[in-house]
Amino acid sequence: MATKSVANRGSGEEQKMKLRSLLLRYYPPGIMLEYEKSGELKTKSIDLLNLSPSTEVNALVEEIQKAEPLITASRSEQVKLLIQRLQDKLRQHSNHTFYLFKVLRAHILPLTNVALNKSGSCFITGSYDRTCKLWDTASGEELHTLEGHRNVVYAIAFNNPYGDKIATGSFDKTCKLWSVETGKCYHTFRGHTAEIVCLSFNPQSTLVATGSMDTTAKLWDIQSGEEVFTLRGHSAEIIALSFNTSGDRIVTGSFDHTVAVWEADTGRKVYTLIGHCAEISSALFSWDCSLILTGSMDKTCMLWDASNGKCVATLTGHDDEILDSCFDYTGKLIATASADGTARVFSAATRKCLTKLEGHEGEISKISFNPQGNRLLTGSADETARIWDAQTGQCLQVLEGHTDEIFSCAFNYKGDIIITGSKDNTCRIWR
């Protein structure tokens, strides 16, 4: 159990703090606290990453009360009920079979990326046709075409969990910020001197980070449209970047074989992770911000201690480049996808390989866990996506029908919708 942004326990502070409401967060399991401090409404979370259906609830509530002054005795029954609801959710294993719901001939030129909003009610597609399109998942109807870029729209993202804004990064060297509701462009961020190939919103939705072939990353203020910082230090293009869940750090991965960690509020480089001997393909933090996972063309993934930048493990076993890697929501499991056509699941604690996913006939370029953490989704050059049991490595379902390689696939937050994007110029909705 971890409490994020734990309040100062001084009595003066406590008197100024008043708990307003408690909310459930299913993935990963946690309780969100909305509280008032000096007249200002704030939120923090109690992360219950180790919660299981067999956890003793009363003991856990006591532990939470010791660690969190806002949870007073009068709230203990409410907290107990919330934990029981989380346990019920953990018992419901998703044994969902997915069926093809819709094929969208999304663009006149190939797609570059697809991304869902948090609930999965809508999704976006980027394309070589210089546009990004917003789609309604339930009907498959096009809601908006975001036009204005002068070259390929390559990197796209929603500002989840809010989902009211979209950022698009283009080979025209600019990033644009759009309204989901109207499809209008709020800002065009100019400053990069080469293509933008990756981008990410911070969790607070106040900043967008962009990574470019010009070797820099930049942070942009969503409100003002101004550049906040340029992150300099890489000697080759930046192809992966992401914020940690608290939004105070950014990790960037580059073709210069290194990964850098930066402070989001100062733009200062905290440290460089040196150890890979080929280009980086992915770089991301675990949910609790304690670990960083990096994947590389050198056929390995490395696990780093995020507090000091030291390498704690090298995950080996693949015979070819690692093209994608990810944590599950709780940060207990790691999945790796390779050009060798296989994927692997590792334990983050023991760093041992737990299972190997075999069955694809081409390289696997995308891998992700469902929110429950018991299923994996892979997209491959063999024109299929597959769903696997994360524990046993058994292939549960093959999503067939695309006629060219699948380069993008994703679950929604509930884990009951999948989007696949292919070089065949179509996007498929599965549910």
Side-chain angles (χ1 to χ4, degrees), residues 147 345 379:
E147 291 180 288
V345 180

Side-chain angles (χ1 to χ4, degrees), residues 195-414:
E195 297 88 334
I196 292 174
V197 291
C198 50
L199 57 78
S200 181
F201 283 94
N202 67 340
Q204 295 80 9
S205 190
T206 54
L207 298 171
V208 175
T210 52
S212 167
M213 307 287 265
D214 67 12
T215 77
T216 71
K218 287 178 185 284
L219 295 185
W220 312 86
D221 184 294
I222 282 177
Q223 280 317 109
S224 68
E226 299 296 312
E227 182 182 316
V228 188
F229 298 116
T230 297
L231 311 181
R232 296 178 206 281
H234 284 295
S235 58
E237 50 263 50
I238 291 175
I239 61 100
L241 60 76
S242 54
F243 284 90
N244 65 0
T245 42
S246 43
D248 60 353
R249 296 257 165 120
I250 301 164
V251 63
T252 55
S254 167
F255 271 13
D256 66 12
H257 308 182
T258 73
V259 174
V261 178
W262 315 77
E263 279 178 358
D265 55 352
T266 64
R268 184 182 75 86
K269 184 165 21 164
V270 188
Y271 38 64
T272 304
L273 311 180
I274 299 172
H276 283 295
C277 50
E279 293 92 332
I280 304 297
S281 56
S282 60
L284 62 161
F285 287 91
S286 60
W287 174 272
D288 67 2
C289 312
S290 67
L291 294 170
I292 294 167
L293 174 66
T294 57
S296 166
M297 304 295 180
D298 67 11
K299 310 178 189 175
T300 73
C301 271
M302 293 178 95
L303 209 49
W304 312 78
D305 182 324
S307 64
N308 59 22
K310 299 267 188 296
C311 176
V312 293
T314 302
L315 310 180
T316 58
H318 284 292
D319 315 331
D320 207 339
E321 300 172 346
I322 293 203
L323 303 178
D324 195 21
S325 62
C326 62
F327 285 102
D328 71 345
Y329 257 142
T330 61
K332 291 190 178 75
L333 297 176
I334 291 164
T336 57
S338 169
D340 67 15
T342 71
R344 287 167 184 260
V345 180
F346 294 85
S347 158
T350 67
R351 290 98 199 219
K352 298 257 186 304
C353 179
L354 303 175
T355 182
K356 196 169 162 186
L357 316 183
E358 296 178 287
H360 277 298
E361 289 164 22
E363 62 179 38
I364 303 174
S365 60
K366 258 298 182 245
I367 191 162
S368 56
F369 283 93
N370 69 345
Q372 295 85 353
N374 66 329
R375 299 282 178 266
L376 276 160
L377 171 66
T378 52
S380 167
D382 69 8
E383 305 173 4
T384 71
R386 288 173 183 247
I387 298 161
W388 312 78
D389 183 306
Q391 290 327 122
T392 65
Q394 184 194 352
C395 178
L396 302 173
Q397 205 182 340
V398 181
L399 307 182
E400 294 177 287
H402 280 296
T403 57
D404 204 339
E405 80 179 69
I406 294 173
F407 57 79
S408 191
C409 53
F411 283 105
N412 67 334
Y413 179 70
K414 276 201 202 142

Side-chain angles (χ1 to χ4, degrees), residues 133-145:
K133 291 188 184 216
L134 178 67
W135 307 84
D136 179 82
T137 314
S139 64
E141 276 171 52
E142 185 183 315
L143 300 173
H144 297 297
T145 296

Side-chain angles (χ1 to χ4, degrees), residues 31-84:
I31 298 170
M32 309 298 289
L33 282 59
E34 283 190 341
Y35 64 100
E36 215 174 281
K37 183 177 173 184
S38 314
E40 210 184 324
L41 200 61
K42 300 191 164 216
T43 59
K44 59 171 143 173
S45 64
I46 297 172
D47 292 338
L48 304 170
L49 303 184
N50 296 316
L51 185 70
S52 76
S54 59
T55 302
E56 219 297 304
V57 178
N58 290 337
L60 180 55
V61 173
E62 274 177 38
E63 200 184 315
I64 290 171
Q65 283 177 317
K66 277 190 201 126
E68 179 46 75
L70 280 167
I71 306 287
T72 52
S74 63
R75 290 279 188 172
S76 61
E77 274 310 304
Q78 190 187 356
V79 172
K80 210 177 283 185
L81 287 172
L82 290 176
I83 291 170
Q84 285 163 347

Side-chain angles (χ1 to χ4, degrees), residues 117-153:
N117 70 347
K118 183 172 166 176
S119 68
S121 62
C122 58
F123 67 97
I124 45 180
T125 52
S127 169
Y128 279 87
D129 71 9
R130 307 178 176 194
T131 71
C132 174
K133 291 188 184 216
L134 178 67
W135 307 84
D136 179 82
T137 314
S139 64
E141 276 171 52
E142 185 183 315
L143 300 173
H144 297 297
T145 296
L146 311 181
E147 291 180 288
H149 280 296
R150 302 200 164 159
N151 208 325
V152 176
V153 173

